[in-house]
Structure formats: C-alpha cells, structure tokens
C-alpha cells in the first residue's frame, strides 16, 4: 500500500454519513454497525489512485487481484455476526484490513488470516501505522487457527465452494460462522450457529459475489 496522508476531512466525513444513510435504506439495522462504519475512514484503506471512490457502495481493487468488500456486504456480514465487546473473532481473508478494523471498533479481539503474502505484509504495516491492534497471520485460512481456537465468531470474506469443517469445529457452542458459499461467481451468505457439538442452525441470504476462497478447502 503506498504511503498516503491519513487525513479525514469534512468532505470525507460527509460522504461517509451519506454512505451510512444508504446502508440504512438498504436494510442495515444495527446502530452499532452503522456507527462503526461512520467512524472508520474507508478511504485510508484505498490505493491513492482510487481514493475518490472510497464512499461508493462498491468493491474496489486492493492489489494482488483482490478487492475490499462492498460496504453493504461488510455491514451485512458484521450485523449477522452480532459482535459483543470481548468476542474472540477469526476472519479469513484480511485483505485491506477494513472488515477486521470494523470488528475491532466493535470491541472484538480480532485474529485474521491472509493468503497473499504481499497483502499480509502491506496490511500489517498499515494497521500498525493506524494504531489498530489485531493478530495477523499469513497462510491458508481454510483450516482456521487451531492453536487459538475456540472462537465466539468466525467470518469468511471470500467465496467458498463448501463450508470448511474445521471452521465449524473451531467455534464455541453458541458461536456464529458467517460465510459466503456457492460458485466462483455467485454465493449465498450462510449464518451458521453452533447449537451443540453435533448440531448447527443455518440461515441463508441470497445474492453475494466475492473473490474466490483459495486453499485446501477452497477452490484449489
Ligand atoms: N476482508 C477484506 C476483504 C478481502 S477480499 C477487506 O476488508 O478488505 C478476500 C481476501 O481473502 C483476499 O485478500 C484473498 O487473498 C483472501 N483469501 C482467499 N483465500 C484465502 C485463504 N484460503 N486464506 C486466507 N485468505 C484468503
């Protein structure tokens, strides 16, 4: 990520407010989630060439063929996770660090894994500069992080062909996994609540498009 001046002007703040109003119109209800989006300057997470687009409700390139998720998608997944302060949360797909930072602002202890080395390194440096604390790991996240399990919540921010069994295993009882599952181009968002060691409850929401989840239980 190129060094840019981390400046949050009235113009940025105004655009962010308008984005939050749009997310509310699109059906996001959690005031805590909307407040976190209102607080976090999304333009800090953008490449300088694309910074003027930071408050559009769209996904944008962040390098290495990857994207920062659309704000609506970030809000939707975060709302499904129902983050409580102190929740131990695992994110698969650190990317720009934006989604992880939203979880951090909501009071979660964030563990996040990224498969692309360059993104991992760039985002790690960038978050340190922002002063946002989370535990970053480099590697294939489809196996989760057994050494740090169990987690209260797990969020996957890339499109999976199947639900990786190890992620369900690494949830606490009562824990929630939010994961887009489907084809390479189109996915259904699943909210999986772990009711007991053997039983899960599933809710489904149509109409999402993520970059593919790679790795052992991903697309290759
Ligand atoms: N949460 C990110 C969205 C990034 S897009 C953000 O807020 O910007 C999805 C990310 O998942 C990409 O960076 C991609 O490299 C990563 N990814 C894909 N497969 C992965 C895997 N098996 N393990 C960890 N990260 C993976």
């Amino acid at each position: 990520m190129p060094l840019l001046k981390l400046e949050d002007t009235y113009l940025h703040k105004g655009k962010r407010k308008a984005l939050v109003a749009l997310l509310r119109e699109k059906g996001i209800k959690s005031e805590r989630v909307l407040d976190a989006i209102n607080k976090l300057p999304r333009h800090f997470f953008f490449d300088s060439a694309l910074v003027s687009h930071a408050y559009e409700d769209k996904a944008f390139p962040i390098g290495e063929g990857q994207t920062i998720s659309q704000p609506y998608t970030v809000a939707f997944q975060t709302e499904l996770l129902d983050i409580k302060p102190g929740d131990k949360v695992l994110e698969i797909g650190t990317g720009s660090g934006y989604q992880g930072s939203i979880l951090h602002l909501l009071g979660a202890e964030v563990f996040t894994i990224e498969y692309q080395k360059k993104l991992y390194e760039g985002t790690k440096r960038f978050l340190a500069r922002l002063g946002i604390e989370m535990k970053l790991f480099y590697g294939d996240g489809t196996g989760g992080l057994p050494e740090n399990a169990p987690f209260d919540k797990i969020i996957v921010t890339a499109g999976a062909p199947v639900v990786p069994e190890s992620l369900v295993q690494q949830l606490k009882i009562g824990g929630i996994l939010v994961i887009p599952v489907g084809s390479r181009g189109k996915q259904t968002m699943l909210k999986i609540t772990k009711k007991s060691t053997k039983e899960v409850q599933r809710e489904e929401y149509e109409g999402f498009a993520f970059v593919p989840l790679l790795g052992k239980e991903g697309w290759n």
Side-chain angles (χ1 to χ4, degrees), residues 77-145:
Q77 287 196 284
T78 310
E79 189 165 72
L80 289 181
L81 280 177
D82 190 21
I83 300 293
K84 305 278 191 287
D87 271 357
K88 202 170 143 186
V89 183
L90 172 63
E91 177 193 33
I92 319 297
T94 313
S96 67
Y98 179 78
Q99 169 74 73
S101 300
I102 292 284
L103 299 171
H104 169 83
L105 278 182
L106 290 168
E109 180 188 9
V110 182
F111 296 74
T112 182
I113 315 177
E114 174 55 50
Y115 202 47
Q116 304 291 337
K117 187 91 188 256
K118 267 191 159 167
L119 274 179
Y120 159 77
E121 285 170 348
T123 299
K124 193 174 170 131
R125 269 198 307 274
F126 167 70
L127 290 175
R129 202 173 145 225
L130 270 190
I132 292 181
E133 265 179 50
M134 60 181 91
K135 295 171 184 77
L136 290 98
F137 298 82
Y138 162 63
D140 175 12
T142 60
L145 271 185

Side-chain angles (χ1 to χ4, degrees), residues 11 168 171:
L11 180 64
V168 180
L171 272 183

